[in-house]
Amino acid sequence: MDAEPLLAIVGQVPRAFREYALAGARHAARVWLVTPSAQAWHGGYCERVEEVDLDGAHALREVSALLAGQVDGVLTFDERYVELTAALVERLGLPGATVEAVRVLKDKAALREATAGRPYAVRFGIARTVAEAHRVVASIGYPVVLKPRALGGSIGVVKVDGPSGLDAAFRLADGARVGDLASAHAGVLVEEFVDGPEISIDASVSGGRTHVHFVADKLLGPEPYFEEVGHVVPSAVGDLQEVLDTVEDVHRLSGFDDGVSHVELRLTDRGPRLIEANARLGGDLIPYLGLRATGVDLARVAAQIAVGRPVPVEAARDDAAAVRFVYADRPLVLAGVTWPEAAHPGVEVERAGLLAPGSWTAPPPDAFLSRVAYVLAHGSDRDLVVGAVEREAGAVRVDGEQARV
């Protein structure tokens, strides 16, 4: 029997949102974690943990020298390092998508260019100044959406209904950060706003063949922002054939032929419209929802593809799972969270705090993804599951002292 492969996982692996992924990868291979921030719990899944500055000018050279000849694959769960990971795969001659394919998915403007003219495409332009943003909007018309070219989590994404709001929206998108990191690609994407429910699709691709594993309904906070406040698997959408065809076409046009992807679409009355695509597992616990609902461990699938040992996988069950995030309704310094005492017959409920007391938190636009806690539910009945997370999240009390922004 072949020796168990060794997989390098590159990037941050936060416990609240990616422990399930590290566990899934460990089912497929021994794990060597290369991360800027090692944590004690990582040792429970990893054979080796190495702290490395992944944002330095020589990160590619240093990490490739560290891993050369020792690992069977390289994988990331971290949006910030998908291009670095693709470059490592290419330099080390390991299985995975090409650098160019990953760049197209990472850079939202490049993806728009690659899919221009397709039925699911939207009109867009790139603006590096406020004046350029006004010129792009003149060719598209209001309403528009402005977004950074290469950040995840809907950070800095804002809808603009008219000229009076465009300058501020440009500054918000242009100045968006994940921690201290700005978008890896300069400029702001300005695109037409498309209305309709939003869904996400998590798929694997091996040898150019796409296999969609689950589709989720996305719950968004109030406009003009696009904060993702919850997700439900499976989607309530009926006929998904056009959606599946769109995902396959996005993979083909981008050249993405090995790995896992997370694609987001809006379903308009004229058919699906592409919002974005990512060369990684979905965030916000969506693959964990998929695991609970279908039995498909997409992190394990990703690891198997990364080490060159893809294994066909099918859903083992047809359940439902949902997550709802809890926010403060104003800027505050968090004192604590009080959970409701409630029973949910027929539904398993998980809940967890995400911020420590003393943390500053606020809803958009003062902060993005500043979640205080989450409620997650799983069961055989979709309506019961959705009802449970909505009731539980709605009854959580967030206590704290008002903070000046």
Side-chain angles (χ1 to χ4, degrees):
M1 186 175 183
D2 291 344
E4 189 177 18
L6 178 61
L7 172 69
I9 294 179
V10 175
Q12 299 272 19
V13 183
R15 189 164 203 171
F17 286 96
R18 288 301 196 198
E19 183 173 10
Y20 76 89
L22 202 55
R26 179 62 191 93
H27 285 301
R30 295 175 294 130
V31 175
W32 180 356
L33 180 61
V34 180
T35 178
S37 179
Q39 300 171 29
W41 69 271
H42 289 151
Y45 300 99
C46 301
E47 183 173 284
R48 182 172 173 181
V49 179
E50 200 97 22
E51 279 201 349
V52 176
D53 178 9
L54 298 177
D55 299 307
H58 304 295
L60 174 59
R61 184 182 68 197
E62 292 170 359
V63 178
S64 60
L66 179 69
L67 301 180
Q70 299 195 65
V71 299
D72 300 288
V74 185
L75 179 65
T76 188
F77 306 136
D78 191 329
E79 173 69 18
R80 292 167 294 183
Y81 304 115
V82 292
E83 289 179 292
L84 172 62
T85 300
L88 288 167
V89 163
E90 184 175 275
R91 181 170 289 199
L92 299 174
L94 297 170
T98 66
V99 170
E100 178 60 20
V102 171
R103 184 195 69 81
V104 170
L105 297 187
K106 170 70 174 174
D107 179 357
K108 295 176 175 64
L111 180 62
R112 290 286 183 224
E113 290 165 356
T115 57
R118 305 300 293 162
Y120 51 81
V122 301
R123 292 173 295 158
F124 76 100
I126 302 167
R128 291 174 175 80
T129 65
V130 169
E132 287 183 359
H134 281 275
R135 286 196 290 271
V136 173
V137 175
S139 68
I140 294 175
Y142 289 100
V144 293
V145 174
L146 275 66
K147 60 179 67 170
R149 283 177 62 181
L151 288 181
S154 298
I155 295 170
V157 182
V158 57
K159 180 186 176 188
V160 183
D161 289 314
S164 63
L166 187 60
D167 293 15
F170 178 87
R171 289 191 293 271
L172 178 70
D174 191 48
R177 299 289 186 273
V178 177
D180 295 328
L181 293 179
S183 168
H185 299 282
V188 169
L189 194 64
V190 182
E191 59 189 39
E192 67 172 308
F193 171 76
V194 291
D195 204 2
E198 193 163 328
I199 62 171
S200 63
I201 303 95
D202 282 83
S204 63
V205 191
S206 181
R209 297 188 63 183
T210 294
H211 189 150
V212 169
H213 296 286
F214 29 84
V215 180
D217 287 333
K218 188 185 301 289
L219 309 176
L220 298 176
E223 292 183 356
Y225 310 106
F226 294 82
E227 184 86 3
E228 298 174 13
V229 301
H231 307 273
V232 185
V233 174
S235 169
V237 176
D239 184 4
L240 288 169
Q241 189 56 55
E242 199 170 1
V243 167
L244 305 183
D245 292 343
T246 299
V247 171
E248 199 165 325
D249 199 51
V250 168
H251 289 159
R252 181 182 62 82
L253 292 174
S254 65
F256 187 76
D257 57 5
D258 274 291
V260 297
S261 72
H262 179 76
V263 179
E264 299 177 0
L265 304 175
R266 279 216 166 184
L267 305 179
T268 76
D269 55 9
R270 295 170 289 125
R273 293 295 182 270
L274 178 63
I275 302 301
E276 65 178 59
N278 305 277
R280 55 162 173 80
L281 287 178
D284 277 4
L285 296 168
I286 298 170
Y288 181 63
L289 299 181
L291 173 61
R292 297 303 307 271
T294 71
V296 173
D297 188 342
L298 193 54
R300 183 175 186 173
V301 172
Q304 289 166 333
I305 293 171
V307 297
R309 300 184 181 186
V311 177
V313 60
E314 299 293 339
R317 54 182 175 267
D318 187 20
D319 288 352
V323 67
R324 196 73 155 82
F325 298 106
V326 177
Y327 294 80
D329 61 2
R330 65 195 185 283
L332 56 78
V333 176
L334 183 67
V337 172
T338 303
W339 295 97
E341 294 183 8
H344 305 283
V347 176
E348 297 177 32
V349 173
E350 303 172 32
R351 56 193 188 183
L354 297 171
L355 294 180
S359 300
W360 178 83
T361 183
D366 298 320
F368 290 89
L369 299 184
S370 188
R371 286 90 173 248
V372 174
Y374 73 77
V375 179
L376 189 148
H378 161 250
S380 59
D381 186 293
R382 188 182 188 279
D383 290 341
L384 288 179
V385 165
V386 173
V389 293
E390 292 294 337
R391 289 193 301 276
E392 184 95 0
V396 174
R397 193 178 80 226
V398 178
D399 298 311
E401 304 237 350
Q402 182 123 6
R404 184 168 56 84
V405 179

